[in-house]
Amino acid sequence: MFEKRPGLLVVISSPSGGGKTTVCRSLLQSHPDYLYSVSLTTRPRRSSEVEGRDYIFVTEEEFRERVARGELAEWAEVHGHFYGTPKDPIEKALKERRVILLDIDVQGGMGIRQKYRQKGVLIFLYPPSLEVLEARLRGRLTEEEEAIERRLAIAQKEMEYWEQYDYLVINKEIEETIASVEAIIRAEISRVERLKRG
Ligand code: 5GP
């Protein structure tokens, strides 16, 4: 009777270095049925990143064209580059009643909340402290000093958004954080309200 469980958009936001990419990767590994929303970005590809898996890397011109064609569910400028969530995979995931993870910033989270209010759940990963966040950002060694400084300043602003989210998880130990996010998803897909709405 309940095999027609609805799909769920799981927005996971945190400041840069907040751990959301690690959480998403781990969840995708342990739940092969989950999907991942691959964003468009105009930022240059990092050496560890794979086109089409981590991002779809596009020029600013192409990005603008896609926005104009209404192909994005939300988009934002983050750290001087454009990022956006393609609409089609999201709609497809909902139609197929799948769980889809969105690793997006707070502006994107607000956009998804507005557009897909009843189809989504918003989870905010909060760093244990600014010092820990800075250490994590530096540990990645992928950024120039100036970029790290910029991201830290933005991180403080982003952290103010936690109240707009449905869940707050303090990312102290990554394994514990993953387990919490997993529990939230399990609970959300079992909500009677969602099952009733279909
Ligand atoms: P990074 O450049 O470190 O991969 O990502 C920078 C920020 O952009 C992160 O907070 C990431 O979650 C966010 N981001 C990635 N994709 C999207 C997207 O499609 N939309 C929005 N609004 N933010 C995104």
Side-chain angles (χ1 to χ4, degrees):
M1 179 181 177
F2 291 117
E3 68 280 3
K4 286 210 180 301
R5 194 184 74 183
L8 184 67
L9 308 181
V10 181
V11 171
I12 303 183
S13 299
S14 74
S16 292
K20 56 192 179 303
T21 308
T22 313
V23 169
C24 286
R25 287 223 176 113
S26 167
L27 287 174
L28 288 165
Q29 251 185 6
S30 49
H31 298 269
D33 53 320
Y34 288 4
L35 300 170
Y36 180 71
S37 164
V38 181
S39 295
L40 293 186
T41 185
T42 59
R43 140 166 107 55
R45 189 175 64 83
R46 296 182 186 134
S47 57
S48 61
E49 291 175 328
V50 176
E51 161 77 35
R53 181 195 71 179
D54 299 294
Y55 282 107
I56 299 160
F57 296 93
V58 294
T59 60
E60 220 169 287
E61 192 189 355
E62 188 175 351
F63 192 94
R64 288 185 198 283
E65 279 169 13
R66 297 226 195 172
V67 172
R69 288 200 297 263
E71 290 178 17
L72 303 186
E74 63 75 34
W75 65 274
E77 190 178 346
V78 189
H79 312 308
H81 299 289
F82 294 112
Y83 294 81
T85 304
K87 210 187 270 173
D88 280 354
I90 299 260
E91 303 280 354
K92 191 162 174 272
L94 288 176
K95 214 187 242 164
E96 292 175 359
R97 301 171 181 278
R98 307 274 292 270
V99 169
I100 181 164
L101 309 179
L102 287 76
D103 167 347
I104 61 178
D105 89 320
V106 292
Q107 305 171 72
M110 297 302 96
I112 294 293
R113 191 185 61 174
Q114 214 178 21
K115 214 169 194 153
Y116 296 94
R117 187 154 199 84
Q118 302 182 326
K119 300 285 181 193
V121 59
L122 275 70
I123 306 172
F124 197 92
L125 304 187
Y126 204 86
S129 69
L130 271 181
E131 290 72 27
V132 170
L133 184 69
E134 180 169 357
R136 283 181 188 162
L137 264 179
R138 290 188 188 284
R140 288 212 294 209
L141 288 178
T142 50
E143 313 283 340
E144 304 286 329
E145 179 64 28
E146 194 193 328
I148 292 178
E149 298 285 329
R150 203 169 55 221
R151 280 178 182 240
L152 267 176
I154 294 168
Q156 294 187 50
K157 280 253 162 307
E158 289 177 331
M159 281 154 69
E160 292 170 9
Y161 275 82
W162 70 270
E163 288 178 291
Q164 312 290 328
Y165 278 65
D166 299 313
Y167 293 92
L168 174 91
V169 177
I170 310 251
N171 183 18
K172 207 165 160 197
E173 292 295 335
I174 192 72
E175 291 307 325
E176 215 173 286
T177 300
I178 292 164
S180 297
V181 172
E182 202 160 32
I184 292 166
I185 297 174
R186 275 184 205 277
E188 285 292 325
I189 58 181
S190 309
R191 280 183 83 102
V192 168
E193 272 311 306
R194 289 192 197 286
L195 293 167
K196 283 201 293 198
R197 278 197 300 262

